[in-house]
Amino acid sequence: MSENQPHVAVVGAGIGGLTAAIALRRAGLRVDVYEQAPVLSEIGAGIHLAPNGSRLLVRLGLGKRLDEVAVRPEAMEVRVWDTGAVVVRQPMGDAWQARFDGPHYTLHRADLHGLLAEAVPADLVHVGHRAVAVTEDPGGVRIDFAHGASVRADVVVAADGVHSPLRRPIAGEEPAVFSKTAAIRAVVPSAACPDLPRDALLTWVGPAGRLLAHPVRGGRETAFVAVVADPTDGGDSWSRPADTVALRRAFAGWEPGARALVEAATEAGHWTLYDREPLPRWSTARTTLLGDAAHPMLPHHGQGASQAIEDAVTLAACLARLGTGPSGPAPALRRYEELRLEHTSRVRQGSLGGGSQRLSPTTEESPASPSRPPSSSPSARPGGAGMEELVRDVTWVQRYDVEAELATAGLA
């Protein structure tokens, strides 16, 4: 790695931060990662890695490890909530890999995090470092940590989530729009729901909301998320425990397969869903945002991880090509923002509608509400508009190849 290349400090060792470290090192830059947790670990439940994200990790040399820990579902099914009838079945597997030039994986978030951590030298990841402030000057940027230490770098990348203290100086005061919904997430043994396939993405729609399930860990476990009405604003947190008794009660009248899934959960996480408008900018002269710190979005597209991976690859290319001129890294950060801000804003806009029609039409929101677009009948049967909307076309997201975009921009 050249000493002339900028030294990059990545704040946050989650999926986005670790992918950024891998991509930056591959591009020849010097990197250190600072994580507030005392131990490098990842909690969470199931996660989707769509082709637009998976193909980038494969190109970064992680394809073999992904095949070892992830599942490539063979089909996507939409089922009627009370009968279990399959009303839509769409092939995936090899067909999707050929169609989108990359596999669609489902896996446990901890497994994805673990394989990314393996790819970053341990001496470059500094745990127990909670960043509280950055100070820029003509020669670089200083990061101050809560325990009193500080470090200097040429560039700081905030990849520590929507609540990042490094996001606030760029974002300013921003309202979080409460969606009046929550995502209840859990992982259960697949043996607890033997009538459900272990190789398919499943979606049910009903009066309690929407239930989605997918296999993880070779099909031995099944991850699910229930998107339910949540009229009480419980705070902008994704990590508080869910009430599993209330969860089972909400789905008590559903078909046996769906009911077995939620009844198997002895613990679950309650993620109150909030939306935020896209930021007008992500960067200063030496600091930029990545992943949820830059563009938090509702989870209905399953694109959180893939968008962070796209950010990481784009940022690495921009800093490698544009980060060493007389103006320092500022032109590289501006170009990164230009390449990513519009695209992620469009994905975020799509995520608003991705779960809206799954809930009861008795909601009081206006059809134009930014926090919940129009809903349709949860009891839709085959041929109904609600079921058709469940398989709306999001292939433009999956087809998007950020490296082709970089090549067009002369940054490949």
Side-chain angles (χ1 to χ4, degrees):
M1 296 184 187
S2 170
E3 290 296 320
N4 294 324
Q5 292 285 12
H7 175 214
V8 183
V10 177
V11 176
I15 290 170
L18 290 174
T19 305
I22 295 166
L24 289 162
R25 281 174 48 78
R26 185 183 177 95
L29 281 75
R30 295 176 291 135
V31 184
D32 283 279
V33 182
Y34 298 92
E35 165 59 40
Q36 66 175 345
V39 177
L40 194 62
S41 63
E42 179 71 24
I43 61 174
I47 191 170
H48 287 257
L49 189 58
N52 55 300
S54 70
R55 77 170 73 93
L56 299 178
L57 293 187
V58 169
R59 293 170 188 170
L60 288 170
L62 300 173
K64 183 175 184 295
R65 288 289 290 123
L66 278 169
D67 283 335
E68 291 171 352
V69 304
V71 176
R72 286 198 301 161
E74 292 300 320
M76 177 190 305
E77 294 183 359
V78 178
R79 297 185 170 201
V80 179
W81 69 278
D82 55 353
T83 69
V86 177
V87 295
V88 177
R89 181 178 172 86
Q90 181 177 15
M92 294 179 70
D94 290 343
W96 270 36
Q97 174 142 0
R99 184 180 181 188
F100 299 116
D101 190 29
H104 186 111
Y105 287 116
T106 58
L107 67 171
H108 198 292
R109 179 177 290 270
D111 293 339
L112 177 57
H113 185 265
L115 71 86
L116 294 171
E118 292 170 5
V120 181
D123 62 334
L124 301 183
V125 181
H126 313 278
V127 297
H129 284 67
R130 180 168 67 86
V132 294
V134 295
T135 306
E136 298 183 21
D137 58 59
V141 58
R142 187 186 78 229
I143 311 175
D144 294 317
F145 298 100
H147 62 286
S150 63
V151 298
R152 285 187 63 83
D154 297 305
V155 179
V156 172
V157 179
D160 51 344
V162 65
H163 299 298
S164 166
L166 310 188
R167 173 184 165 94
R168 292 192 206 105
I170 296 174
E173 292 298 322
E174 53 176 344
V177 181
F178 178 39
S179 72
K180 297 187 180 180
T181 60
I184 311 300
R185 304 180 299 179
V187 178
V188 303
S190 297
C193 36
D195 294 333
L196 299 180
R198 299 190 184 189
D199 62 351
L201 306 183
L202 305 174
T203 301
W204 296 261
V205 182
R210 176 174 58 122
L211 181 64
L212 303 95
H214 60 78
V216 298
R217 292 176 170 164
R220 298 184 303 278
E221 297 178 351
T222 299
F224 74 81
V225 56
V227 181
V228 297
D230 184 16
T232 303
D233 188 344
D236 192 1
S237 172
W238 59 270
S239 58
R240 64 188 176 99
D243 183 344
T244 55
V245 174
L247 177 67
R248 289 192 290 272
R249 186 165 55 244
F251 288 89
W254 288 47
E255 64 104 345
R259 200 166 62 244
L261 193 63
V262 298
E263 289 175 353
T266 57
E267 59 182 13
H270 183 114
W271 180 13
T272 305
L273 299 180
Y274 292 81
D275 180 48
R276 289 171 172 80
E277 290 293 324
L279 298 178
R281 66 186 183 106
W282 294 355
S283 306
T284 62
R286 292 184 177 272
T287 302
T288 197
L289 308 176
L290 185 147
D292 284 349
H295 46 74
M297 59 185 67
L298 295 175
H300 305 309
H301 265 352
Q303 275 288 317
S306 292
Q307 291 304 305
I309 292 165
E310 288 183 358
D311 290 349
V313 169
T314 304
L315 178 63
C318 290
L319 282 172
R321 291 299 186 95
L322 304 173
T324 59
S327 300
L333 300 187
R334 282 197 302 270
R335 192 70 180 112
Y336 159 66
E337 183 179 295
E338 290 168 358
L339 288 166
R340 294 299 296 155
L341 200 155
E342 181 179 354
H343 180 78
T344 56
S345 296
R346 185 184 176 197
V347 176
R348 170 258 174 196
Q349 184 65 33
S351 75
L352 293 178
S356 62
Q357 73 278 9
R358 291 28 168 205
L359 297 174
S360 169
T362 59
T363 173
E364 297 178 359
E365 277 85 13
S366 159
S369 168
S371 62
R372 185 189 293 174
S375 59
S376 63
S377 172
S379 59
R381 286 301 190 263
M387 287 298 181
E388 291 174 3
E389 288 179 7
L390 282 172
V391 289
R392 65 176 59 198
D393 184 6
V394 293
T395 59
W396 68 271
V397 183
Q398 314 251 20
R399 291 185 188 282
Y400 182 80
D401 190 331
V402 74
E403 290 191 326
E405 188 82 3
L406 291 168
T408 301
L411 294 168

